[in-house]
Amino acid sequence: MSSPAVAVPTRTSIGETARQMDECGVGSVVLTEGGTLRGIVTDRDLTVRALARSLDADEPVGTVMTSPVITVNVTDDIHEAYRTFRRSGVRRLPVLDGHQVVGILAVDDMLLDVFQRVADLLGPVARSVLEEPPVPPSMEPPSQEP
């Protein structure tokens, strides 16, 4: 997961939220009030719900947030996270420790986990394939000397 999650109050403007996302290099921010999760806004939300509807950049970002938010708990295992992604169809899940947002788990994070597991599994196989055994003399191609 990415930690800490970038958080802004629900009354933050759409324009300021977009600037925060750009500055922090993230595709989503969580919206909080008094430390409590109220919603989430993604770069897609800003495009489809704000820009496409010609909302003013000074409008509160809370007007385009997704709420309620689908989350996972910091104590959930990776299999629960996979199930939550499959069931919900979202691409980003805030990770909660109690009621506190401690990070964001993205589908991309899960793909990196899959790739690492495949690499761990295939590592010995790949090494054996790359380390070609010597060719017996009887199998060597004929010499091309003039």
Side-chain angles (χ1 to χ4, degrees), residues 9-138:
T10 56
R11 65 187 174 283
T12 304
S13 72
I14 290 170
E16 177 57 27
T17 301
R19 283 186 288 281
Q20 288 283 327
M21 291 170 71
D22 181 41
E23 189 175 295
C24 296
V26 296
S28 66
V29 295
V30 292
L31 281 67
T32 58
E33 286 299 327
T36 301
L37 178 64
R38 296 290 183 214
I40 188 169
V41 169
T42 67
D43 44 10
R44 185 175 189 282
D45 293 330
L46 294 179
T47 302
V48 173
R49 295 181 184 168
L51 187 61
R53 294 180 187 164
S54 300
L55 293 182
D56 190 278
D58 292 327
E59 287 281 325
V61 72
T63 61
V64 295
M65 73 181 180
T66 298
S67 181
V69 184
I70 298 167
T71 64
V72 291
N73 195 289
V74 72
T75 59
D76 289 343
D77 67 15
I78 196 162
H79 302 292
E80 181 59 28
Y82 278 113
R83 282 189 293 275
T84 303
F85 275 118
R86 276 196 311 271
R87 279 193 317 263
S88 67
V90 298
R91 298 194 57 211
R92 296 175 181 95
L93 295 169
V95 180
L96 301 180
D97 187 358
H99 294 289
Q100 182 77 26
V101 179
V102 295
I104 297 286
L105 184 62
V107 168
D108 295 356
D109 299 321
M110 304 302 276
L111 288 173
L112 289 173
D113 175 68
V114 169
F115 292 150
Q116 184 60 55
R117 289 172 189 252
V118 168
D120 291 346
L121 178 66
L122 293 180
V125 173
R127 277 192 293 281
S128 69
V129 169
L130 293 174
E131 296 171 359
E132 295 180 32
V135 177
S138 62

